[in-house]
Amino acid sequence: MVDLRNPDEREPELAPRPAGIATVRAPQDPIGTPFYEQWTKIDNLASPLYYPAMLVEHPEPVVTAVRAIANAAPGCVVFHCASGKDRTGLLALVLLTLAGAAPDEIIADYLLTYDRLKQQYDELGVRDQLTAVTEHLAARNTTIEASLTSTIASLTMPDFLLGNGLSDTELAALHARLTI
């Protein structure tokens, strides 16, 4: 399991995990950086708008999470953040791009999150997030689809991962895991 949350978001685990399940902590938010301060004001790191800047300015957290997946013991690997949309969405986009998924498949995968989280947000009395993010991006003259498409188009694989420290051996292991 790869936990993408920041240390202050984690709660103590009350139930023991079954033997053989390890957790790797790979926080994605570059807290304390000018990037984090800027994007917290722009979109609270809660839309795909920040993805391209994150990949350029702070690729290390993303590559750390990718490395954890590549180096995981055989079997399933789960990765998550607090809601499974933003940090998880960026990591999924990177992995799906590497795996050769088409942009429309990656976008559809990202949009599924809104459907799956709707009931939870409704129960919490939180505004519909798809509407909120759509309006936020529209105010910046873009859409979720356009933002994701732009990020996917700019992401050259596997050069992005190799150029940011992933080894050839880790890339091979990742390819094997993603194409099984």
Side-chain angles (χ1 to χ4, degrees), residues 15-165:
R17 291 227 167 98
I21 295 181
T23 299
V24 175
R25 305 211 188 283
Q28 295 299 291
D29 293 338
I31 295 173
T33 66
F35 172 92
Y36 185 79
E37 299 307 318
Q38 175 189 357
W39 283 98
T40 298
K41 291 175 189 169
I42 293 171
D43 74 352
N44 203 31
L45 287 96
S47 84
L49 195 61
Y50 81 95
Y51 288 1
M54 177 72 177
L55 292 171
V56 169
E57 295 179 42
H58 293 282
E60 304 86 7
V62 175
V63 174
T64 296
V66 169
R67 180 175 287 114
I69 294 167
N71 294 326
C76 179
V77 176
V78 173
F79 57 94
H80 70 91
C81 58
S83 69
K85 178 177 70 67
D86 304 308
R87 294 166 286 190
T88 298
L90 177 56
L91 183 56
L93 180 145
V94 167
L95 294 170
L96 289 168
T97 301
L98 177 66
D104 61 327
E105 294 170 316
I106 297 170
I107 293 165
D109 179 71
Y110 177 85
L111 291 171
L112 274 176
T113 306
Y114 291 102
D115 291 335
R116 303 239 165 100
L117 289 172
K118 186 169 180 6
Q119 180 179 347
Q120 179 182 3
Y121 282 124
D122 288 348
E123 290 170 2
L124 293 170
V126 175
R127 182 174 182 225
D128 177 71
Q129 291 300 289
L130 180 57
T131 300
V133 171
T134 298
E135 288 175 359
H136 180 76
L137 293 178
R140 286 159 179 76
N141 297 314
T142 193
T143 64
I144 290 172
E145 295 82 359
S147 184
L148 291 171
T149 299
S150 173
T151 302
I152 295 162
S154 70
L155 193 56
T156 305
M157 288 296 191
D159 296 344
F160 168 78
L161 295 172
L162 294 171
N164 286 292

